[in-house]
């Protein structure tokens, strides 16, 4: 009988990457709130539920988090509004 | 979709190079590329590119290495090298939304000033000053402006619903301004909510949904811009800082919304299958930008006579720069100025922008 996994915990998130090949550093992903679903490179944020996939090796997990899920309260509490604003208003994807 | 990581990276590198080439060869590069596809008989790809708006990733500051010479470079005439609004195309292009319809679009302003006594929400003195400023400003930017005052929750919804049912085919853009008290509502894309004068709120997520591609087809592919001046409710209005997590305990630990269920395809997601960067597994809203006077959960400072800092600064920046700068650049200026202003006083205010536009927005100006 295993106790339920709590994804709010950094180590628990990190554990989900144990058997996963991911183009991004596992610790960076876990610190940015993400855990692995165990298939492909798809990850989920424990707080906002936002998922991200099709990672490029150069991608930064916090930046991608801020780009697609700017309202995430974990993101805002860890990185602050200024960071989110910068990502949201920077020149990109035009 | 790619058999191995090695192949995948090579393919991505190639895609990156191609995109950089298209971006760095001037305005005609994309049409030349399409012509190239036609000549070489790549009919499928040609139709695909013409049907869906291509998403191009623009990396400023990064040098563009010469990749695959698909397009014959043509000599630049002296003023072709100058990038700026003067040479921006009037038609829809990869980098700019078409913005030359006259009038440009509809602008709805909801101005909630007096709240029902039972709500215990204070009168928003100065809001009429904000309202007048923005009404004039958006008229000068060639919008057809309508103002609605003191709406209840139900009336806010029915005004937005009416706006979404209008035929926007002849317009290029749509603007919604909401001046009211606000409150916190968690959402991973568009958090926050605004109050009707009856004290019931409408979430910002719901507000944006009225105009999304599914609910308002005649605005599909066109920029939908929301400006929200939302003061914190009740006592918070005096202006002290409340962090989002302290203001309201999140419900059941994983506080944020989980109502956005992954949907494989929707008219909202215009992303192509071979995206370059990591992409969202939830459908991404398209062509929507929400500019908040302050991040939801933080107090928005409002001077009772002169209106709000945010609207004053926004109006000034639009007046000074709309003829030359694009919207996101102007909003960066607004954020800098409001946060500097507030740093001088007792209270801190940082506007927030949640930006799901795919291209630059340049407003029409009379000059
Ligand atoms: Zn998140």
């Amino acid at each position: 009988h295993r106790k339920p996994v709590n994804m709010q915990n950094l180590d628990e998130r990190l554990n989900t990457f144990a058997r996963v090949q991911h183009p991004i550093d596992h610790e960076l992903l876990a610190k940015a709130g993400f855990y692995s679903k165990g298939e492909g490179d798809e990850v989920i944020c424990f707080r906002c539920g936002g998922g991200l996939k099709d990672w490029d090796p150069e991608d930064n997990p916090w930046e991608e988090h801020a780009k697609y899920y700017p309202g995430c309260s974990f993101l805002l509490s860890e990185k602050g509004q200024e960071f989110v604003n910068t990502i949201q208003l920077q020149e990109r994807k035009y | 979709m790619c058999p191995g990581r090695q192949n995948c990276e090579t393919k991505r590198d190639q895609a990156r190079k191609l995109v950089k080439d298209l971006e760095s060869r001037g305005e005609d590069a994309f049409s030349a590329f399409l012509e190239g596809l036609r000549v070489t008989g790549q009919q499928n790809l040609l139709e695909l590119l013409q049907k869906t708006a291509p998403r191009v990733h623009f990396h400023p500051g990064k040098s563009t290495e010469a990749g695959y010479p698909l397009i014959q470079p043509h000599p630049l005439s002296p003023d072709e090298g100058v990038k700026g609004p003067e040479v921006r195309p009037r038609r829809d292009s990869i980098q700019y939304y078409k913005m030359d319809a006259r009038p440009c679009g509809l602008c709805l302003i909801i101005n909630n000033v007096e709240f029902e006594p039972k709500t215990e929400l204070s009168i928003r003195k100065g809001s009429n000053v904000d309202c007048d400023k923005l009404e004039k400003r958006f008229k000068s930017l060639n919008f057809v402006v309508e103002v609605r005052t003191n709406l209840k929750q139900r009336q806010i919804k029915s005004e937005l619903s009416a706006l979404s049912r209008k035929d926007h085919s002849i317009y290029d853009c749509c603007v919604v301004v909401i001046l009211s008290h606000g409150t916190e509502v968690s959402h991973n894309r568009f958090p926050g909510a605004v109050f009707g004068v009856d004290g019931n709120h409408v979430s910002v997520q719901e507000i944006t949904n009225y105009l999304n591609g599914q609910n308002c087809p005649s605005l599909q592919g066109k920029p939908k811009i929301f400006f929200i001046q939302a003061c914190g409710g009740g006592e918070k209005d005096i202006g002290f800082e409340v962090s989002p997590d302290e203001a309201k305990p999140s419900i059941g630990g994983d506080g944020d919304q989980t109502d956005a269920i992954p949907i494989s395809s929707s008219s909202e997601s215009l992303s192509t299958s071979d995206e370059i960067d990591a992409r969202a597994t939830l459908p991404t809203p398209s062509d929507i930008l929400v500019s908040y006077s302050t991040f939801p959960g933080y107090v928005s400072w409002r001077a009772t006579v002169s209106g709000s800092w945010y609207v004053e600064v926004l109006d000034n920046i639009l007046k000074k720069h709309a003829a030359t700068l694009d919207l996101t650049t102007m909003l960066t200026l607004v954020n800098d100025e409001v946060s500097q202003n507030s740093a001088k006083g007792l209270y801190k205010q940082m506007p927030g922008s949640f930006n799901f536009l795919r291209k630059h927005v340049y407003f029409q100006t009379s000059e």
Side-chain angles (χ1 to χ4, degrees):
Chain A
H1 186 83
R2 295 172 59 197
K3 73 173 187 184
V5 181
N6 181 2
M7 289 305 164
Q8 283 175 303
N9 183 307
L10 173 66
D11 288 333
E12 296 286 5
R13 294 200 296 275
L14 200 49
N15 282 343
T16 63
F17 291 101
R19 279 189 297 270
V20 177
Q21 269 227 335
H22 204 288
I24 310 292
D25 182 82
H26 297 173
E27 204 171 319
L28 290 180
L29 285 165
K31 278 187 174 152
F34 296 116
Y35 61 90
S36 169
K37 291 223 317 183
E39 48 187 89
D41 67 354
E42 186 171 339
V43 299
I44 308 282
C45 167
F46 79 95
R47 181 71 68 82
C48 72
L52 289 170
K53 63 178 180 181
D54 297 348
W55 290 83
D56 183 275
E58 293 158 41
D59 289 339
N60 173 312
W62 274 126
E63 287 179 13
E64 299 302 312
H65 203 158
K67 192 177 192 176
Y68 290 103
Y69 304 104
C72 172
S73 58
F74 178 68
L75 165 77
L76 284 165
S77 66
E78 292 293 306
K79 299 298 284 181
Q81 304 157 43
E82 240 171 305
F83 174 79
V84 176
N85 263 343
T86 305
I87 300 297
Q88 286 292 308
L89 293 176
Q90 79 186 3
E91 284 252 24
R92 64 184 169 124
K93 75 181 180 186
Y94 294 126
Chain B
M1 73 178 87
C2 332
R5 269 191 61 202
Q6 228 29 57
N7 286 345
C8 197
E9 274 172 29
T10 316
K11 202 175 148 210
R12 278 195 163 135
D13 285 347
Q14 287 173 353
R16 233 179 241 279
K17 284 208 178 77
L18 177 57
V19 167
K20 278 181 182 166
D21 269 336
L22 285 171
E23 286 169 355
S24 57
R25 301 285 168 100
E27 310 283 352
D28 299 329
F30 187 66
S31 52
F33 176 60
L34 293 180
E35 178 60 16
L37 290 175
R38 195 186 61 78
V39 170
T40 53
Q42 309 271 352
Q43 206 57 36
N44 287 349
L45 188 53
L46 178 63
E47 277 165 21
L48 194 72
L49 284 171
Q50 283 175 326
K51 208 160 51 194
T52 56
R55 284 189 52 164
V56 173
H57 294 248
F58 182 63
H59 300 281
K62 286 191 190 171
S63 63
T64 53
E65 58 269 71
Y68 305 89
L70 279 169
I71 298 139
Q72 283 298 316
H74 63 278
L76 283 176
S77 66
D79 49 10
E80 257 184 300
V82 187
K83 279 272 175 203
E86 304 80 41
V87 294
R88 70 185 190 250
R90 307 191 66 79
R91 316 288 307 171
D92 211 23
S93 78
I94 300 177
Q95 290 193 15
Y96 311 92
Y97 287 106
K98 175 187 177 300
M99 285 287 275
D100 62 350
R102 295 186 175 266
C104 185
L106 304 179
C107 168
L108 170 67
I109 302 180
I110 295 174
N111 180 26
N112 280 356
V113 186
E114 287 178 58
F115 293 77
E116 292 173 8
K118 63 160 189 190
T119 65
E120 294 183 2
L121 291 164
S122 58
I123 292 187
R124 298 185 57 259
K125 291 190 191 115
S127 189
N128 289 333
V129 177
D130 286 348
C131 186
D132 289 348
K133 274 184 196 157
L134 292 181
E135 182 180 1
K136 289 199 186 86
R137 183 57 51 208
F138 283 102
K139 277 181 177 164
S140 82
L141 299 175
N142 214 358
F143 282 81
V144 179
V145 184
E146 293 212 37
V147 176
R148 298 281 182 270
T149 311
N150 294 336
L151 302 187
K152 295 174 183 176
Q153 177 204 51
R154 189 178 42 79
Q155 294 170 314
I156 294 174
K157 291 184 182 188
S158 64
E159 283 296 336
L160 288 165
S161 171
L163 182 63
S164 76
R165 279 182 278 110
K166 287 202 168 122
D167 182 8
H168 299 261
S169 309
I170 55 166
Y171 303 125
D172 284 339
C173 180
C174 190
V175 171
V176 173
V177 177
I178 300 184
L179 314 166
S180 187
H181 285 293
T183 188
E184 235 200 312
V185 163
S186 292
H187 187 273
N188 61 14
R189 257 71 180 259
F190 303 115
V194 295
F195 280 113
V197 294
D198 55 349
N200 296 318
H201 64 246
V202 187
S203 76
V204 174
Q205 161 70 10
E206 192 179 348
I207 290 166
T208 61
N209 272 354
Y210 280 101
L211 299 189
N212 74 17
Q214 274 157 320
N215 295 329
C216 187
S218 62
L219 280 176
Q220 231 172 58
K222 301 174 185 179
K224 295 160 277 276
I225 303 157
F226 300 79
F227 296 97
I228 296 175
Q229 159 65 41
C231 318
E235 290 162 57
K236 281 189 232 159
D237 211 5
I238 308 159
F240 47 82
E241 210 173 316
V242 184
S243 87
D245 293 326
E246 287 160 359
K248 219 185 245 178
S250 55
I251 315 116
D254 291 25
D256 279 28
Q257 65 88 45
T258 44
D259 58 14
I261 299 142
I263 302 162
S264 57
S265 74
S266 78
S267 61
E268 270 296 82
S269 62
L270 288 168
S271 35
T272 58
S273 60
D274 206 9
E275 198 78 3
I276 291 173
D277 293 315
R279 65 189 174 99
T281 58
L282 306 179
T284 305
S286 297
D287 312 303
I288 291 175
L289 182 142
V290 180
S291 169
Y292 292 82
S293 60
T294 186
F295 259 85
Y298 287 80
V299 165
S300 181
W301 186 246
R302 175 168 44 85
T304 50
V305 183
S306 59
S308 65
W309 289 350
Y310 167 74
V311 170
E312 188 179 356
V313 173
L314 175 66
D315 183 51
N316 280 338
I317 298 281
L318 286 171
K319 181 183 174 186
K320 259 192 249 170
H321 299 294
T324 49
L325 299 181
D326 75 283
L327 178 60
T328 54
T329 305
M330 287 191 286
L331 288 175
T332 306
L333 298 177
V334 171
N335 290 352
D336 288 349
E337 206 168 316
V338 172
S339 55
Q340 271 170 31
N341 260 355
S342 62
K344 281 183 224 145
L346 265 169
Y347 309 114
K348 192 107 177 88
Q349 179 178 337
M350 164 71 79
S353 293
F354 295 157
N355 173 18
F356 292 94
L357 296 176
R358 294 173 300 115
K359 309 175 185 198
H360 285 301
V361 169
Y362 282 97
F363 287 119
Q364 287 177 29
T365 48
S366 37
E367 295 94 275

